[in-house]
C-alpha cells in the first residue's frame, strides 16, 4: 500500500482552516503539543504572561512541563520576545493574534458552554491573582493591578465586573485621573460582543464623559446625540436623563446656547415626570440656571437657581446645596448684589464644611475674592 504524498499530508493539515491570519494561527496550533496549544489559547486571556500567571493559567502542570510548553511557543513569529529572550512579559502575543484568540473565547458564550465555563473559571482565578497583587503594590503598579482585576472580573461575571468598572471609573474621574478612565474603558471594550445593549450604552456614556473632560466637546455631542436614539437608552430613564444633562453641558461649552437650553428644559420635564430620573431634576435646574446666566437672562436665571437651592435643601445633600448656593452667589455678583452674593457664598462654604469637602471650598473662596475685588477691597480680596 502506497504512502500518502507530502501534498496529501499538507492538504489534511490545512483542511477546514479559516482564511487569513486566523488560518495561520490555527495551522501553527495544530503542530503544537496539547499543553503548548492550551498555553497559547489561555495566554490570550490576560494582557501579560509571566511565570506566576502561567501557573494561574495551568495550575495542575509541573514547572518542567510548563517550561517545555513555553519553549515550543518562544520561536513562533507572533510571540513577542522580551529582554530575557523569553515570552514572559506584557503582550505575549502580537495584538492581532491575541484579538483572534480572545475572540474565540468570547464566541463560546453562545455556543460552547464547556469552553465558556472554562473561560469564566480562568478569569475568576486571575481576579484572585490581581487582588493579591494590588494589595502589595503602590502607585501605578497598584492602579494597573486594579484595572486588570476589573477586566477579569468582567470575564468571570459581566454584571459584577461592569458594576466594579463604573465604581472605579467614577472614583478615578473624581480624582481627575483621566488616563486611568481611558484605560478602563479600553479594557471593557474588549467585551463588547458579549455585553448587553444597556452595558454597551453605559460604556459609551463613560466615554462621552471622558470626551467632555478632555475638551473634545464635538465628539461628546456626536456620541450623545447618537446614544439618545437607542432603545437601550430610551428604555433606561436614569441613563437617558444623564445623557441629556451631559449633552446640554457639551453644547453650552460649544456656545450652542439655544440647543443647550432645549436639552436642559427637556431634562427638567423628563425628570419631573419620571421617578427613576428624579435625581436629575436638581442637575437640570442648576444646568439651566447657569446657562441662562451666561445668556444674560439674569432674572429668570435667579428664579431657576433659587428653585435649585430650595430643592437641594429639601434633598439634604451638602454637596448639592453648596453647588446651588455657589451658583446663586455668582449670579448675585453679576446682578450687583454684593451683600446677597456674600451670604450665598458663605452658605456654600458652610455646607462644604459640613460635608467634609477638602478641595471645593477653594473655588468658593476665589469667588468671594472676586466679589471683594469688585468693590476694590484689596486686603480682603487677597485674604
Amino acid at each position: 500500500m502506497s504512502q500518502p504524498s507530502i501534498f496529501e499530508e499538507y492538504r489534511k493539515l490545512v483542511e477546514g482552516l479559516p482564511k487569513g491570519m486566523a488560518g495561520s494561527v490555527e495551522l501553527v496550533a495544530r503542530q503544537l503539543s496539547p499543553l503548548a496549544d492550551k498555553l497559547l489559547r489561555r495566554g490570550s486571556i490576560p494582557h501579560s504572561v509571566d511565570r506566576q500567571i502561567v501557573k494561574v493559567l495551568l495550575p495542575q502542570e509541573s514547572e518542567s512541563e510548563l517550561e517545555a510548553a513555553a519553549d515550543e511557543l518562544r520561536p513562533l513569529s507572533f510571540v513577542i520576545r522580551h529582554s530575557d529572550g523569553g515570552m514572559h512579559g506584557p503582550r505575549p502575543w502580537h495584538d492581532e493574534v491575541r484579538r483572534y484568540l480572545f475572540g474565540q473565547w468570547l464566541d463560546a458564550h453562545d455556543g460552547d458552554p464547556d469552553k465558556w465555563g472554562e473561560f469564566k473559571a480562568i478569569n475568576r482565578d486571575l481576579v484572585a491573582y490581581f487582588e493579591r497583587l494590588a494589595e502589595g503594590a503602590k502607585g501605578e503598579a497598584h492602579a494597573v493591578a486594579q484595572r486588570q482585576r476589573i477586566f477579569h472580573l468582567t470575564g468571570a461575571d459581566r454584571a459584577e465586573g461592569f458594576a466594579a468598572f463604573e465604581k472605579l471609573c467614577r472614583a478615578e474621574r473624581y480624582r481627575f485621573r483621566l488616563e486611568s478612565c481611558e484605560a478602563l474603558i479600553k479594557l471593557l471594550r474588549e467585551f463588547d460582543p458579549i455585553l448587553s445593549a444597556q452595558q454597551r450604552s453605559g460604556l459609551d456614556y463613560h466615554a462621552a464623559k471622558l470626551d467632555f473632560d478632555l475638551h473634545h466637546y464635538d465628539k461628546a455631542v456626536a456620541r450623545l446625540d447618537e446614544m439618545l436614539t437607542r432603545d437601550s437608552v430610551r428604555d433606561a430613564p436614569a441613563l437617558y436623563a444623564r445623557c441629556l444633562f451631559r449633552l446640554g453641558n457639551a453644547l453650552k461649552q460649544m456656545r450652542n446656547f439655544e440647543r443647550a437650553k432645549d436639552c436642559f428644559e427637556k431634562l427638567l420635564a423628563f425628570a419631573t415626570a419620571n421617578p427613576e430620573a428624579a435625581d436629575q431634576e436638581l442637575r437640570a435646574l442648576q444646568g439651566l440656571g447657569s446657562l441662562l446666566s451666561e445668556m444674560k437672562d439674569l432674572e429668570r436665571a435667579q428664579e431657576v437657581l433659587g428653585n435649585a437651592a430650595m430643592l437641594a435643601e429639601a434633598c439634604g445633600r451638602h454637596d448639592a446645596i453648596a453647588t446651588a448656593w455657589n451658583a446663586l452667589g455668582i449670579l448675585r455678583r453679576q446682578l450687583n448684589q454684593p451683600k446677597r452674593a456674600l451670604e450665598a457664598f458663605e452658605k456654600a462654604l458652610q455646607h462644604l464644611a459640613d460635608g467634609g469637602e477638602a478641595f471645593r471650598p477653594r473655588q468658593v473662596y476665589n469667588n468671594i475674592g472676586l466679589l471683594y475685588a469688585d468693590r476694590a477691597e484689596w486686603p480682603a480680596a487677597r485674604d
Side-chain angles (χ1 to χ4, degrees):
M1 185 175 178
S2 62
Q3 294 293 317
S5 69
I6 189 171
F7 298 107
E8 181 64 17
E9 290 288 345
Y10 180 75
R11 186 189 66 77
K12 290 180 180 179
L13 187 63
V14 301
E15 192 172 31
L17 287 175
K19 294 181 179 179
M21 178 276 302
S24 301
V25 174
E26 295 298 343
L27 177 60
V28 170
R30 287 184 180 186
Q31 300 174 73
L32 296 172
S33 67
L35 185 57
D37 178 58
K38 186 179 284 190
L39 178 56
L40 171 68
R41 298 180 190 281
R42 291 190 174 192
S44 70
I45 298 175
H47 293 91
S48 62
V49 175
D50 58 25
R51 287 176 173 81
Q52 293 303 314
I53 288 180
V54 168
K55 291 178 183 177
V56 175
L57 296 175
L58 296 162
Q60 305 301 320
E61 312 301 334
S62 68
E63 291 272 2
S64 59
E65 289 171 322
L66 292 175
E67 193 58 37
D71 284 342
E72 283 190 65
L73 299 181
R74 286 189 181 101
L76 301 180
S77 61
F78 54 75
V79 172
I80 298 175
R81 282 169 286 280
H82 296 275
S83 56
D84 63 354
M87 69 172 196
H88 301 300
R91 296 174 59 248
W93 325 139
H94 284 289
D95 289 343
E96 190 178 3
V97 172
R98 181 183 174 272
R99 274 195 298 272
Y100 165 70
L101 292 170
F102 188 75
Q104 295 294 295
W105 289 106
L106 298 186
D107 288 346
H109 175 257
D110 293 322
D112 190 338
D114 290 339
K115 186 174 181 178
W116 183 245
E118 180 185 353
F119 177 71
K120 291 175 69 175
I122 294 167
N123 276 289
R124 186 61 73 181
D125 290 341
L126 287 166
V127 169
Y129 171 78
F130 282 107
E131 279 178 349
R132 293 193 300 271
L133 201 63
E135 286 174 4
K138 295 180 179 179
E140 183 59 19
H142 175 77
V144 170
Q146 274 193 311
R147 292 196 293 268
Q148 289 299 322
R149 174 191 168 277
I150 286 173
F151 175 81
H152 292 296
L153 185 58
T154 308
D157 184 312
R158 280 170 297 160
E160 190 178 353
F162 195 81
F165 153 75
E166 289 202 299
K167 182 178 180 181
L168 181 58
C169 198
R170 289 192 182 105
E172 294 291 70
R173 183 173 180 266
Y174 181 79
R175 300 182 187 102
F176 214 70
R177 295 174 182 168
L178 302 184
E179 71 288 346
S180 181
C181 296
E182 189 171 17
L184 277 166
I185 291 167
K186 184 178 180 181
L187 285 174
L188 267 287
R189 289 282 186 210
E190 294 189 36
F191 290 103
D192 255 0
I194 63 166
L195 294 178
S196 69
Q198 283 202 356
Q199 286 171 335
R200 284 194 294 273
S201 290
L203 191 55
D204 283 337
Y205 172 70
H206 286 282
K209 289 203 295 185
L210 182 62
D211 289 336
F212 183 91
D213 292 335
L214 294 172
H215 299 178
H216 299 157
Y217 303 123
D218 54 342
K219 288 178 65 176
V221 167
R223 196 188 299 271
L224 290 163
D225 271 335
E226 188 276 327
M227 287 181 64
L228 286 165
T229 67
R230 300 180 193 173
D231 289 340
S232 59
V233 175
R234 290 180 176 276
D235 292 342
L239 179 58
Y240 182 78
R242 290 199 298 270
C243 287
L244 275 176
F245 177 73
R246 296 293 170 188
L247 180 58
N249 276 333
L251 289 165
K252 176 186 169 186
Q253 291 297 325
M254 295 176 72
R255 314 295 291 180
N256 191 340
F257 288 161
E258 287 301 328
R259 207 180 149 213
K261 182 166 166 279
D262 288 344
C263 276
F264 289 129
E265 288 177 339
K266 186 176 182 179
L267 172 59
L268 184 57
F270 184 81
T272 304
N274 287 271
E276 292 179 63
D279 63 333
Q280 296 298 308
E281 182 181 357
L282 177 57
R283 302 178 87 186
L285 287 168
Q286 290 172 337
L288 180 59
S290 175
L291 176 65
L292 290 169
S293 179
E294 285 208 39
M295 295 173 74
K296 305 304 179 186
D297 188 350
L298 301 185
E299 291 301 325
R300 190 178 172 213
Q302 184 164 223
E303 177 189 351
V304 171
L305 289 174
N307 291 337
M310 286 190 291
L311 182 58
E313 295 276 4
C315 293
R317 283 177 42 213
H318 291 296
D319 59 335
I321 298 169
T323 298
W325 281 111
N326 185 55
L328 261 178
I330 293 170
L331 178 61
R332 289 172 178 176
R333 177 181 166 234
Q334 288 179 283
L335 288 168
N336 196 26
Q337 299 173 357
K339 185 176 180 181
R340 296 187 71 213
L342 184 58
E343 289 173 355
F345 289 139
E346 287 174 343
K347 285 186 178 181
L349 286 173
Q350 183 58 57
H351 283 287
L352 288 174
D354 291 344
E357 288 278 359
F359 299 106
R360 287 178 61 198
R362 299 174 189 178
Q363 301 170 3
V364 184
Y365 279 121
N366 183 65
N367 291 331
I368 294 174
L370 293 172
L371 182 64
Y372 282 125
D374 291 342
R375 301 162 63 183
E377 297 181 22
W378 303 117
R382 184 185 64 243
D383 293 342

